[in-house]
Coordinates of all heavy atoms in Angstrom, one line a residue:
M1 N 163.4 -198.4 -5.4 CA 163.4 -197.4 -4.4 C 162.8 -196.1 -4.9 O 163.2 -195.6 -6.0 CB 164.8 -197.2 -3.9 CG 164.9 -196.5 -2.6 SD 166.6 -196.3 -2.0 CE 166.9 -197.8 -1.2
T2 N 161.9 -195.4 -4.2 CA 161.4 -194.2 -4.7 C 162.2 -193.0 -4.3 O 163.2 -193.1 -3.5 CB 160.0 -194.0 -4.0 OG1 160.2 -193.8 -2.6 CG2 159.0 -195.1 -4.3
D3 N 162.0 -191.9 -4.9 CA 162.8 -190.7 -4.7 C 162.6 -190.3 -3.2 O 163.6 -189.9 -2.6 CB 162.3 -189.5 -5.6 CG 162.7 -189.8 -7.0 OD1 163.6 -190.5 -7.3 OD2 162.1 -189.1 -7.9
D4 N 161.5 -190.5 -2.6 CA 161.3 -190.1 -1.2 C 162.2 -191.0 -0.3 O 162.8 -190.5 0.6 CB 159.8 -190.3 -0.8 CG 158.9 -189.2 -1.5 OD1 159.5 -188.2 -1.8 OD2 157.7 -189.5 -1.5
T5 N 162.2 -192.3 -0.6 CA 163.1 -193.2 0.1 C 164.5 -192.9 0.0 O 165.3 -192.9 1.0 CB 162.8 -194.7 -0.3 OG1 161.4 -195.0 -0.2 CG2 163.6 -195.7 0.5
E6 N 165.0 -192.6 -1.2 CA 166.3 -192.2 -1.4 C 166.7 -190.9 -0.7 O 167.8 -190.8 -0.1 CB 166.6 -192.0 -2.9 CG 166.6 -193.3 -3.7 CD 166.8 -193.0 -5.3 OE1 167.0 -191.9 -5.6 OE2 166.6 -194.0 -6.0
A7 N 165.9 -190.0 -0.7 CA 166.1 -188.7 0.1 C 166.2 -189.0 1.6 O 167.0 -188.5 2.3 CB 165.0 -187.7 -0.2
T8 N 165.3 -189.9 2.1 CA 165.3 -190.2 3.5 C 166.6 -190.9 3.9 O 167.2 -190.6 4.9 CB 164.1 -191.1 3.9 OG1 162.9 -190.3 3.5 CG2 164.1 -191.4 5.3
D9 N 167.0 -191.9 3.1 CA 168.3 -192.6 3.3 C 169.4 -191.6 3.3 O 170.3 -191.7 4.2 CB 168.5 -193.7 2.3 CG 167.5 -194.9 2.4 OD1 166.8 -194.9 3.4 OD2 167.4 -195.6 1.4
A10 N 169.5 -190.7 2.4 CA 170.6 -189.7 2.4 C 170.6 -188.8 3.6 O 171.6 -188.5 4.1 CB 170.6 -188.9 1.1
D11 N 169.4 -188.4 4.0 CA 169.3 -187.6 5.2 C 169.7 -188.3 6.5 O 170.2 -187.7 7.4 CB 167.8 -187.1 5.4 CG 167.4 -186.2 4.3 OD1 168.3 -185.6 3.7 OD2 166.2 -186.0 4.1
E12 N 169.6 -189.7 6.6 CA 169.9 -190.4 7.8 C 171.4 -190.8 7.8 O 171.9 -191.2 8.8 CB 169.1 -191.7 7.8 CG 167.6 -191.4 8.0 CD 166.8 -192.6 8.0 OE1 167.2 -193.7 7.9 OE2 165.5 -192.4 8.1
R13 N 172.2 -190.6 6.8 CA 173.6 -190.9 6.8 C 174.4 -189.9 7.6 O 174.0 -188.7 7.6 CB 174.2 -190.8 5.3 CG 173.8 -191.8 4.4 CD 174.4 -191.6 3.1 NE 174.0 -192.6 2.1 CZ 174.0 -192.3 0.8 NH1 174.5 -191.2 0.3 NH2 173.6 -193.2 0.0
T14 N 175.4 -190.4 8.2 CA 176.4 -189.5 8.9 C 177.3 -188.9 7.8 O 177.9 -189.7 7.1 CB 177.1 -190.2 9.9 OG1 176.2 -190.7 10.9 CG2 178.2 -189.3 10.6
T15 N 177.5 -187.6 7.8 CA 178.4 -187.0 6.8 C 179.8 -186.8 7.5 O 179.8 -186.2 8.6 CB 177.9 -185.7 6.3 OG1 176.6 -185.9 5.7 CG2 178.9 -185.1 5.3
I16 N 180.8 -187.4 6.9 CA 182.2 -187.2 7.6 C 182.8 -186.0 7.0 O 182.9 -185.8 5.8 CB 183.1 -188.4 7.1 CG1 182.4 -189.8 7.3 CG2 184.4 -188.4 7.8 CD1 181.9 -190.1 8.7
R17 N 183.1 -185.1 7.9 CA 183.6 -183.7 7.5 C 185.0 -183.5 8.1 O 185.5 -184.2 8.9 CB 182.7 -182.7 8.1 CG 181.2 -182.8 7.7 CD 180.7 -181.5 7.0 NE 179.4 -181.7 6.6 CZ 179.0 -181.7 5.3 NH1 179.9 -181.7 4.4 NH2 177.8 -181.8 5.0
T18 N 185.6 -182.4 7.5 CA 186.9 -182.0 8.0 C 186.9 -181.7 9.5 O 185.9 -181.3 10.0 CB 187.3 -180.7 7.2 OG1 187.4 -180.9 5.9 CG2 188.7 -180.1 7.7
G19 N 188.0 -182.1 10.2 CA 188.1 -181.9 11.6 C 187.7 -183.2 12.4 O 187.8 -183.3 13.5
R20 N 187.5 -184.3 11.6 CA 187.1 -185.6 12.2 C 188.1 -186.7 11.5 O 188.3 -186.6 10.3 CB 185.7 -185.9 11.9 CG 185.3 -187.2 12.4 CD 183.8 -187.5 12.2 NE 183.5 -188.9 12.6 CZ 182.4 -189.5 12.3 NH1 181.4 -188.9 11.7 NH2 182.2 -190.7 12.7
D21 N 188.5 -187.6 12.3 CA 189.3 -188.7 11.8 C 188.3 -189.8 11.6 O 187.3 -190.1 12.3 CB 190.3 -189.2 12.8 CG 191.5 -188.3 13.0 OD1 191.8 -187.6 12.0 OD2 192.1 -188.3 14.0
F22 N 188.5 -190.6 10.5 CA 187.6 -191.6 10.1 C 188.4 -192.7 9.4 O 189.2 -192.4 8.5 CB 186.5 -191.1 9.1 CG 185.5 -192.2 8.7 CD1 184.5 -192.7 9.5 CD2 185.7 -192.7 7.4 CE1 183.7 -193.7 9.0 CE2 184.8 -193.7 6.9 CZ 183.8 -194.1 7.7
E23 N 188.1 -194.0 9.7 CA 188.8 -195.1 9.0 C 187.9 -196.2 9.0 O 187.2 -196.6 10.0 CB 190.1 -195.4 9.7 CG 190.9 -196.5 9.0 CD 192.2 -196.8 9.6 OE1 192.8 -195.9 10.2 OE2 192.6 -198.0 9.6
Q24 N 187.8 -196.9 7.8 CA 186.9 -198.1 7.7 C 187.6 -199.1 6.8 O 188.2 -198.7 5.8 CB 185.6 -197.7 7.1 CG 184.6 -198.8 7.0 CD 184.0 -199.2 8.3 OE1 183.6 -198.3 9.1 NE2 183.9 -200.4 8.6
S25 N 187.7 -200.3 7.2 CA 188.3 -201.4 6.4 C 187.3 -202.3 5.9 O 186.3 -202.6 6.5 CB 189.4 -202.1 7.2 OG 190.4 -201.3 7.6
Y26 N 187.6 -202.9 4.7 CA 186.7 -203.9 4.1 C 187.5 -205.0 3.5 O 188.6 -204.9 3.1 CB 185.9 -203.3 2.9 CG 185.0 -202.2 3.3 CD1 185.4 -200.8 3.4 CD2 183.7 -202.4 3.7 CE1 184.6 -199.9 3.8 CE2 182.8 -201.4 4.1 CZ 183.3 -200.1 4.1 OH 182.5 -199.1 4.6
R27 N 187.0 -206.2 3.7 CA 187.5 -207.4 3.0 C 186.6 -207.8 1.9 O 185.4 -208.2 2.1 CB 187.7 -208.6 4.0 CG 188.7 -208.3 5.1 CD 189.0 -209.4 6.0 NE 189.3 -210.7 5.4 CZ 190.5 -211.1 4.9 NH1 191.5 -210.3 5.1 NH2 190.7 -212.2 4.4
L28 N 187.0 -207.7 0.7 CA 186.2 -207.8 -0.5 C 186.7 -208.9 -1.4 O 187.9 -209.1 -1.4 CB 186.0 -206.5 -1.3 CG 185.6 -205.3 -0.5 CD1 185.8 -204.0 -1.3 CD2 184.2 -205.4 0.0
D29 N 185.9 -209.4 -2.3 CA 186.5 -210.2 -3.4 C 187.0 -209.2 -4.5 O 186.7 -208.1 -4.5 CB 185.5 -211.2 -4.0 CG 184.3 -210.6 -4.6 OD1 184.4 -209.5 -5.2 OD2 183.2 -211.1 -4.4
A30 N 187.9 -209.7 -5.3 CA 188.7 -208.9 -6.3 C 187.7 -208.1 -7.2 O 188.0 -207.0 -7.5 CB 189.7 -209.7 -7.0
S31 N 186.6 -208.8 -7.6 CA 185.8 -208.1 -8.6 C 185.0 -206.9 -7.9 O 184.9 -205.9 -8.6 CB 184.8 -209.1 -9.2 OG 183.9 -209.6 -8.2
E32 N 184.7 -207.1 -6.7 CA 184.0 -206.0 -6.0 C 185.0 -204.8 -5.7 O 184.6 -203.6 -5.9 CB 183.4 -206.5 -4.7 CG 182.4 -205.5 -4.1 CD 181.6 -206.1 -2.9 OE1 181.8 -207.3 -2.6 OE2 180.8 -205.3 -2.3
A33 N 186.2 -205.1 -5.3 CA 187.2 -204.1 -5.1 C 187.5 -203.4 -6.4 O 187.7 -202.2 -6.5 CB 188.5 -204.7 -4.6
G34 N 187.6 -204.2 -7.5 CA 187.8 -203.6 -8.9 C 186.7 -202.6 -9.3 O 186.9 -201.5 -9.8
A35 N 185.4 -203.0 -9.0 CA 184.3 -202.2 -9.3 C 184.4 -200.8 -8.6 O 184.1 -199.7 -9.1 CB 183.0 -202.9 -9.1
F36 N 184.8 -200.9 -7.3 CA 185.0 -199.7 -6.4 C 186.1 -198.8 -7.0 O 185.9 -197.6 -7.1 CB 185.3 -200.2 -5.0 CG 185.7 -199.0 -4.1 CD1 184.7 -198.2 -3.6 CD2 187.0 -198.7 -3.9 CE1 185.1 -197.1 -2.8 CE2 187.4 -197.6 -3.2 CZ 186.4 -196.8 -2.6
L37 N 187.2 -199.4 -7.4 CA 188.3 -198.6 -7.9 C 187.9 -198.0 -9.3 O 188.3 -196.8 -9.5 CB 189.5 -199.5 -8.1 CG 190.2 -200.0 -6.8 CD1 191.3 -201.0 -7.1 CD2 190.7 -198.7 -6.1
V38 N 187.1 -198.7 -10.1 CA 186.7 -198.1 -11.4 C 185.8 -196.9 -11.1 O 186.0 -195.8 -11.7 CB 185.9 -199.1 -12.3 CG1 185.2 -198.5 -13.4 CG2 186.9 -200.1 -12.8
D39 N 184.8 -197.0 -10.1 CA 183.9 -195.9 -9.8 C 184.7 -194.7 -9.2 O 184.5 -193.6 -9.6 CB 182.9 -196.4 -8.8 CG 181.9 -197.3 -9.4 OD1 181.8 -197.4 -10.6 OD2 181.2 -198.0 -8.6
L40 N 185.7 -195.0 -8.4 CA 186.6 -194.0 -7.8 C 187.4 -193.3 -8.9 O 187.5 -192.1 -8.9 CB 187.5 -194.6 -6.8 CG 188.4 -193.7 -6.1 CD1 187.7 -192.7 -5.2 CD2 189.4 -194.4 -5.2
G41 N 187.9 -194.1 -9.8 CA 188.7 -193.6 -10.9 C 187.9 -192.6 -11.8 O 188.3 -191.5 -12.2
E42 N 186.6 -193.0 -12.0 CA 185.8 -192.1 -12.8 C 185.5 -190.8 -12.1 O 185.5 -189.8 -12.8 CB 184.4 -192.8 -13.1 CG 184.6 -194.0 -14.1 CD 183.4 -194.8 -14.4 OE1 182.4 -194.6 -13.6 OE2 183.4 -195.6 -15.3
Q43 N 185.3 -190.8 -10.8 CA 185.1 -189.6 -10.1 C 186.4 -188.7 -10.1 O 186.3 -187.5 -10.3 CB 184.7 -189.8 -8.6 CG 183.3 -190.3 -8.5 CD 182.8 -190.2 -7.0 OE1 183.1 -189.3 -6.3 NE2 182.1 -191.2 -6.6
L44 N 187.5 -189.4 -10.0 CA 188.8 -188.6 -10.1 C 189.0 -188.0 -11.5 O 189.5 -186.8 -11.6 CB 190.0 -189.6 -9.8 CG 190.2 -190.0 -8.4 CD1 191.2 -191.1 -8.3 CD2 190.5 -188.9 -7.5
Q45 N 188.6 -188.7 -12.5 CA 188.7 -188.1 -13.9 C 187.7 -187.0 -14.1 O 188.0 -186.1 -15.0 CB 188.5 -189.2 -14.9 CG 189.6 -190.2 -15.0 CD 189.3 -191.3 -16.0 OE1 188.2 -191.8 -16.1 NE2 190.5 -191.8 -16.6
D46 N 186.5 -187.1 -13.5 CA 185.4 -186.1 -13.8 C 185.6 -184.8 -13.2 O 184.9 -183.8 -13.6 CB 184.1 -186.7 -13.4 CG 183.7 -187.9 -14.3 OD1 184.3 -187.9 -15.4 OD2 182.8 -188.6 -14.0
G47 N 186.4 -184.6 -12.2 CA 186.5 -183.3 -11.5 C 187.5 -183.3 -10.4 O 188.4 -184.2 -10.3
D48 N 187.2 -182.4 -9.4 CA 188.1 -182.3 -8.3 C 187.4 -182.5 -7.0 O 187.9 -182.1 -5.9 CB 188.8 -180.9 -8.3 CG 187.9 -179.8 -8.3 OD1 186.6 -180.0 -8.3 OD2 188.3 -178.6 -8.3
E49 N 186.3 -183.2 -7.0 CA 185.5 -183.6 -5.8 C 185.1 -185.1 -6.0 O 184.7 -185.5 -7.1 CB 184.3 -182.7 -5.6 CG 184.7 -181.3 -5.3 CD 183.5 -180.4 -5.0 OE1 182.5 -181.0 -4.6 OE2 183.6 -179.2 -5.1
L50 N 185.0 -185.8 -4.9 CA 184.4 -187.1 -5.0 C 183.7 -187.4 -3.7 O 183.9 -186.7 -2.7 CB 185.5 -188.2 -5.1 CG 186.7 -188.3 -4.1 CD1 186.3 -189.2 -3.0 CD2 187.9 -188.9 -4.8
T51 N 182.8 -188.4 -3.7 CA 182.0 -188.8 -2.6 C 182.1 -190.3 -2.5 O 181.8 -191.0 -3.4 CB 180.6 -188.3 -2.6 OG1 180.6 -186.9 -2.7 CG2 179.8 -188.7 -1.4
I52 N 182.4 -190.8 -1.3 CA 182.4 -192.2 -1.0 C 181.3 -192.4 0.0 O 181.2 -191.6 1.0 CB 183.8 -192.7 -0.5 CG1 184.8 -192.4 -1.5 CG2 183.6 -194.2 -0.1 CD1 186.2 -192.7 -1.0
A53 N 180.4 -193.4 -0.2 CA 179.2 -193.5 0.8 C 178.8 -195.0 0.9 O 179.0 -195.8 0.1 CB 178.1 -192.7 0.2
T54 N 178.2 -195.2 2.1 CA 177.5 -196.4 2.3 C 176.1 -196.0 2.8 O 175.8 -194.9 2.8 CB 178.2 -197.2 3.5 OG1 178.1 -196.6 4.7 CG2 179.7 -197.5 3.2
D55 N 175.3 -197.0 3.2 CA 174.0 -196.7 3.8 C 174.1 -195.9 5.1 O 173.2 -195.1 5.4 CB 173.2 -197.9 4.1 CG 172.8 -198.7 2.8 OD1 172.8 -198.1 1.7 OD2 172.5 -199.9 2.9
E56 N 175.2 -196.0 5.9 CA 175.3 -195.4 7.1 C 176.1 -194.0 7.1 O 175.9 -193.2 7.9 CB 176.1 -196.3 8.1 CG 175.3 -197.5 8.5 CD 175.5 -198.7 7.6 OE1 176.6 -198.8 7.0 OE2 174.6 -199.5 7.4
W57 N 177.0 -193.9 6.1 CA 177.8 -192.6 6.1 C 178.1 -192.3 4.7 O 178.0 -193.0 3.8 CB 179.1 -192.8 6.9 CG 179.9 -194.0 6.5 CD1 179.9 -195.2 7.1 CD2 180.9 -194.0 5.5 NE1 180.8 -196.1 6.4 CE2 181.4 -195.4 5.4 CE3 181.4 -193.1 4.5 CZ2 182.4 -195.8 4.5 CZ3 182.3 -193.5 3.6 CH2 182.9 -194.8 3.6
E58 N 178.5 -190.9 4.5 CA 179.1 -190.5 3.3 C 180.2 -189.5 3.6 O 180.3 -188.8 4.6 CB 178.0 -189.7 2.4 CG 177.5 -188.4 3.0 CD 176.6 -187.7 2.1 OE1 176.2 -188.3 1.0 OE2 176.2 -186.6 2.4
L59 N 181.2 -189.6 2.7 CA 182.4 -188.8 2.9 C 182.7 -188.0 1.6 O 183.2 -188.5 0.6 CB 183.6 -189.7 3.2 CG 184.8 -189.1 3.7 CD1 185.7 -190.1 4.4 CD2 185.7 -188.3 2.7
P60 N 182.2 -186.7 1.5 CA 182.5 -185.9 0.4 C 183.9 -185.3 0.6 O 184.3 -185.0 1.7 CB 181.4 -184.8 0.5 CG 181.1 -184.7 1.9 CD 181.3 -186.1 2.5
F61 N 184.7 -185.2 -0.5 CA 186.0 -184.7 -0.4 C 186.5 -183.9 -1.6 O 186.4 -184.5 -2.7 CB 187.0 -185.9 -0.2 CG 188.4 -185.5 0.1 CD1 188.7 -185.0 1.4 CD2 189.4 -185.6 -0.9 CE1 190.0 -184.6 1.6 CE2 190.7 -185.3 -0.6 CZ 191.1 -184.8 0.7
A62 N 186.8 -182.7 -1.4 CA 187.4 -181.8 -2.5 C 188.9 -182.0 -2.5 O 189.5 -181.6 -1.5 CB 187.0 -180.4 -2.3
F63 N 189.5 -182.5 -3.5 CA 190.9 -182.9 -3.5 C 191.7 -181.9 -4.4 O 191.1 -181.2 -5.3 CB 191.1 -184.3 -3.9 CG 190.7 -184.7 -5.3 CD1 191.6 -184.5 -6.4 CD2 189.4 -185.2 -5.5 CE1 191.1 -184.9 -7.7 CE2 189.0 -185.5 -6.8 CZ 189.8 -185.4 -7.8
G64 N 193.0 -181.8 -4.2 CA 193.8 -181.0 -4.9 C 194.9 -181.7 -5.7 O 194.7 -183.0 -5.9
E65 N 195.9 -181.1 -6.2 CA 196.9 -181.7 -6.9 C 198.3 -181.5 -6.2 O 198.4 -180.5 -5.5 CB 197.0 -181.1 -8.3 CG 195.7 -181.2 -9.1 CD 195.5 -182.6 -9.7 OE1 196.4 -183.3 -9.8 OE2 194.4 -182.9 -10.1
P66 N 199.3 -182.3 -6.4 CA 199.3 -183.5 -7.1 C 198.8 -184.7 -6.3 O 198.8 -184.7 -5.0 CB 200.8 -183.7 -7.5 CG 201.5 -183.1 -6.3 CD 200.6 -181.9 -5.9
V67 N 198.2 -185.7 -7.0 CA 197.8 -186.9 -6.3 C 199.0 -187.8 -6.2 O 199.7 -187.9 -7.2 CB 196.7 -187.5 -7.1 CG1 196.3 -188.9 -6.6 CG2 195.5 -186.6 -7.2
E68 N 199.2 -188.5 -5.1 CA 200.3 -189.4 -4.9 C 199.8 -190.8 -5.1 O 198.9 -191.3 -4.4 CB 200.9 -189.2 -3.5 CG 202.2 -190.0 -3.3 CD 202.8 -189.8 -1.9 OE1 202.6 -188.6 -1.4 OE2 203.4 -190.7 -1.4
L69 N 200.5 -191.6 -5.9 CA 200.2 -193.0 -6.1 C 201.5 -193.8 -5.8 O 202.6 -193.5 -6.3 CB 199.8 -193.2 -7.6 CG 199.5 -194.7 -7.9 CD1 198.3 -195.2 -7.2 CD2 199.3 -194.8 -9.5
E70 N 201.3 -194.8 -4.9 CA 202.5 -195.6 -4.5 C 202.2 -197.1 -4.8 O 201.1 -197.5 -4.4 CB 202.7 -195.4 -3.0 CG 203.9 -196.2 -2.4 CD 204.1 -195.9 -0.9 OE1 203.8 -194.8 -0.5 OE2 204.5 -196.8 -0.3
V71 N 203.1 -197.7 -5.4 CA 203.0 -199.2 -5.7 C 204.2 -199.8 -4.9 O 205.3 -199.5 -5.0 CB 203.2 -199.4 -7.1 CG1 203.1 -201.0 -7.4 CG2 202.0 -198.7 -7.9
D72 N 203.8 -200.8 -4.0 CA 204.8 -201.4 -3.1 C 204.6 -202.9 -3.3 O 203.5 -203.5 -3.0 CB 204.5 -201.0 -1.7 CG 205.5 -201.6 -0.7 OD1 206.5 -202.2 -1.2 OD2 205.3 -201.5 0.5
F73 N 205.6 -203.6 -3.8 CA 205.6 -205.1 -3.9 C 206.6 -205.7 -3.0 O 207.7 -205.4 -3.0 CB 205.9 -205.5 -5.4 CG 206.0 -206.9 -5.6 CD1 204.9 -207.7 -5.5 CD2 207.2 -207.5 -5.9 CE1 205.0 -209.1 -5.7 CE2 207.3 -208.9 -6.1 CZ 206.2 -209.7 -6.0
D74 N 206.1 -206.6 -2.2 CA 206.9 -207.4 -1.3 C 206.9 -208.9 -1.8 O 205.9 -209.6 -1.6 CB 206.4 -207.3 0.1 CG 207.2 -208.1 1.1 OD1 208.3 -208.7 0.7 OD2 206.9 -208.1 2.3
G75 N 207.9 -209.3 -2.5 CA 208.0 -210.6 -3.1 C 208.6 -211.7 -2.2 O 208.8 -212.8 -2.7
V76 N 208.9 -211.4 -1.0 CA 209.6 -212.3 -0.1 C 208.5 -213.1 0.7 O 207.5 -212.5 1.2 CB 210.5 -211.6 0.9 CG1 211.2 -212.5 1.8 CG2 211.6 -210.8 0.1
D77 N 208.7 -214.4 0.9 CA 207.7 -215.3 1.6 C 206.4 -215.3 0.9 O 206.2 -215.7 -0.2 CB 207.7 -214.9 3.1 CG 209.0 -215.1 3.8 OD1 209.7 -216.0 3.5 OD2 209.3 -214.3 4.7
D78 N 205.3 -214.6 1.6 CA 204.0 -214.5 1.0 C 204.0 -213.3 0.2 O 203.9 -212.2 0.8 CB 203.0 -214.5 2.1 CG 202.8 -215.8 2.8 OD1 203.1 -216.9 2.2 OD2 202.5 -215.8 4.0
P79 N 204.1 -213.4 -1.1 CA 204.1 -212.1 -1.9 C 202.8 -211.2 -1.7 O 201.7 -211.8 -1.5 CB 204.1 -212.7 -3.4 CG 204.6 -214.0 -3.3 CD 204.2 -214.5 -1.9
E80 N 203.1 -209.9 -1.7 CA 202.0 -209.0 -1.4 C 202.2 -207.7 -2.3 O 203.3 -207.3 -2.4 CB 202.0 -208.7 0.0 CG 200.8 -207.8 0.4 CD 200.8 -207.5 1.9 OE1 201.5 -206.6 2.4 OE2 200.1 -208.2 2.6
L81 N 201.1 -207.2 -2.9 CA 201.2 -206.0 -3.6 C 200.3 -205.0 -2.9 O 199.1 -205.3 -2.6 CB 200.7 -206.3 -5.1 CG 200.5 -205.0 -5.9 CD1 201.8 -204.4 -6.2 CD2 199.9 -205.4 -7.3
E82 N 200.8 -203.9 -2.6 CA 200.1 -202.8 -2.0 C 200.0 -201.6 -2.9 O 201.1 -201.1 -3.4 CB 200.7 -202.4 -0.7 CG 199.9 -201.3 0.1 CD 200.6 -201.0 1.4 OE1 201.2 -202.0 2.0 OE2 200.4 -199.9 1.9
I83 N 198.8 -201.1 -3.2 CA 198.7 -199.9 -4.0 C 198.0 -198.8 -3.1 O 196.9 -199.1 -2.5 CB 197.8 -200.2 -5.2 CG1 198.5 -201.3 -6.1 CG2 197.6 -198.9 -6.0 CD1 197.7 -201.9 -7.2
E84 N 198.6 -197.7 -3.0 CA 198.0 -196.7 -2.1 C 197.9 -195.4 -2.9 O 198.8 -195.0 -3.7 CB 199.1 -196.4 -1.0 CG 198.6 -195.3 0.0 CD 199.6 -195.2 1.2 OE1 200.1 -196.2 1.6 OE2 199.8 -194.0 1.6
L85 N 196.7 -194.7 -2.7 CA 196.4 -193.5 -3.4 C 196.2 -192.4 -2.4 O 195.4 -192.6 -1.4 CB 195.2 -193.6 -4.2 CG 194.6 -192.4 -4.9 CD1 195.6 -192.0 -6.1 CD2 193.3 -192.7 -5.5
E86 N 196.9 -191.3 -2.4 CA 196.8 -190.3 -1.4 C 196.4 -189.0 -2.1 O 197.1 -188.5 -3.0 CB 198.2 -190.1 -0.7 CG 198.0 -189.3 0.6 CD 199.3 -189.4 1.4 OE1 199.8 -190.5 1.6 OE2 199.7 -188.3 1.9
L87 N 195.2 -188.5 -1.7 CA 194.7 -187.3 -2.3 C 194.8 -186.1 -1.3 O 194.3 -186.2 -0.2 CB 193.2 -187.5 -2.6 CG 192.8 -188.7 -3.5 CD1 191.3 -188.9 -3.5 CD2 193.3 -188.5 -4.9
P88 N 195.5 -185.1 -1.7 CA 195.6 -183.9 -0.7 C 194.3 -183.2 -0.8 O 193.6 -183.1 -1.8 CB 196.7 -183.1 -1.3 CG 196.7 -183.4 -2.8 CD 196.3 -184.9 -2.9
G89 N 193.9 -182.6 0.3 CA 192.7 -181.7 0.3 C 193.0 -180.5 -0.5 O 194.1 -180.0 -0.6
R90 N 191.9 -180.0 -1.1 CA 192.0 -178.7 -1.8 C 191.9 -177.6 -0.8 O 191.0 -177.5 0.0 CB 190.9 -178.6 -2.8 CG 191.0 -177.4 -3.7 CD 189.8 -177.5 -4.8 NE 188.6 -177.3 -4.2 CZ 187.5 -177.9 -4.6 NH1 187.5 -178.8 -5.6 NH2 186.3 -177.8 -4.0
P91 N 192.9 -176.6 -0.9 CA 192.8 -175.5 0.0 C 191.6 -174.7 -0.3 O 191.1 -174.5 -1.4 CB 194.0 -174.7 -0.4 CG 194.5 -175.1 -1.7 CD 194.0 -176.5 -1.9
D92 N 190.9 -174.2 0.8 CA 189.7 -173.4 0.6 C 189.9 -171.9 0.8 O 189.0 -171.1 0.9 CB 188.6 -173.8 1.6 CG 189.1 -173.8 3.1 OD1 190.3 -173.4 3.3 OD2 188.3 -174.1 4.0
E93 N 191.2 -171.5 0.8 CA 191.5 -170.1 1.0 C 192.0 -169.5 -0.4 O 192.5 -170.2 -1.2 CB 192.7 -169.9 2.0 CG 192.2 -170.3 3.4 CD 193.4 -170.0 4.4 OE1 194.5 -169.6 4.0 OE2 193.1 -170.3 5.6
E94 N 191.8 -168.2 -0.5 CA 192.2 -167.5 -1.7 C 193.3 -166.5 -1.4 O 193.3 -166.1 -0.2 CB 191.1 -166.8 -2.4 CG 190.0 -167.7 -2.9 CD 188.8 -166.9 -3.6 OE1 189.0 -165.7 -3.8 OE2 187.8 -167.6 -3.9
A95 N 194.2 -166.2 -2.3 CA 195.2 -165.2 -2.0 C 194.6 -163.8 -1.8 O 193.6 -163.6 -2.4 CB 196.2 -165.2 -3.2
P96 N 195.3 -163.0 -1.0 CA 194.7 -161.7 -0.9 C 194.9 -160.9 -2.2 O 195.8 -161.2 -3.0 CB 195.6 -161.1 0.2 CG 196.8 -161.9 0.3 CD 196.5 -163.2 -0.2
A97 N 194.1 -159.8 -2.3 CA 194.2 -159.0 -3.5 C 195.4 -158.1 -3.4 O 195.8 -157.6 -2.3 CB 192.9 -158.2 -3.7
V98 N 196.0 -157.8 -4.5 CA 197.2 -156.8 -4.6 C 196.5 -155.6 -5.2 O 196.0 -155.5 -6.3 CB 198.3 -157.4 -5.5 CG1 199.4 -156.3 -5.6 CG2 198.8 -158.7 -4.9
E99 N 196.7 -154.5 -4.5 CA 196.0 -153.2 -4.9 C 197.1 -152.1 -5.1 O 198.1 -152.1 -4.5 CB 194.9 -152.7 -4.0 CG 193.8 -153.8 -3.9 CD 192.7 -153.3 -2.9 OE1 192.8 -152.3 -2.3 OE2 191.9 -154.2 -2.6

């Protein structure tokens, strides 16, 4: 893909911004989900902003602290493990000056 094609693809994506609700679910094989989680983890380690994107949309997100991680195991009947990561938004306001 050339740089011009990459720029055009990025321009055609819908950017998901604050003030909008968005939800997308995927059914993936474990290796693909693992690769996604590794990439996400690297973005979390590198700074306080991350971007998740497909060919159709991108979701930039500036996150704050603390990050909430929940592990839920249901071992009754059909065992299921749920891992949830919740990132709070970073406030965009600054405190007023004291003079």
Side-chain angles (χ1 to χ4, degrees):
M1 196 180 276
T2 66
D3 290 339
D4 292 338
T5 304
E6 289 176 9
T8 302
D9 290 345
D11 292 341
E12 292 176 4
R13 288 182 187 155
T14 299
T15 302
I16 311 302
R17 302 234 180 253
T18 301
R20 178 176 173 192
D21 287 335
F22 177 78
E23 184 175 327
Q24 185 74 45
S25 296
Y26 296 91
R27 291 184 55 86
L28 309 171
D29 61 36
S31 65
E32 193 171 359
F36 171 81
L37 291 172
V38 167
D39 291 344
L40 181 64
E42 288 174 351
Q43 285 193 43
L44 289 171
Q45 288 177 328
D46 289 345
D48 56 1
E49 295 185 20
L50 60 87
T51 300
I52 300 171
T54 68
D55 291 341
E56 292 87 31
W57 55 265
E58 70 177 3
L59 195 160
F61 188 72
F63 61 90
E65 302 282 344
V67 172
E68 183 178 330
L69 179 64
E70 181 180 325
V71 178
D72 182 12
F73 175 66
D74 182 359
V76 179
D77 297 323
D78 292 329
E80 182 176 86
L81 175 63
E82 182 177 331
I83 300 170
E84 182 177 321
L85 178 67
E86 194 167 313
L87 304 170
R90 186 174 66 216
D92 58 358
E93 297 181 357
E94 294 182 12
V98 177
E99 298 179 7

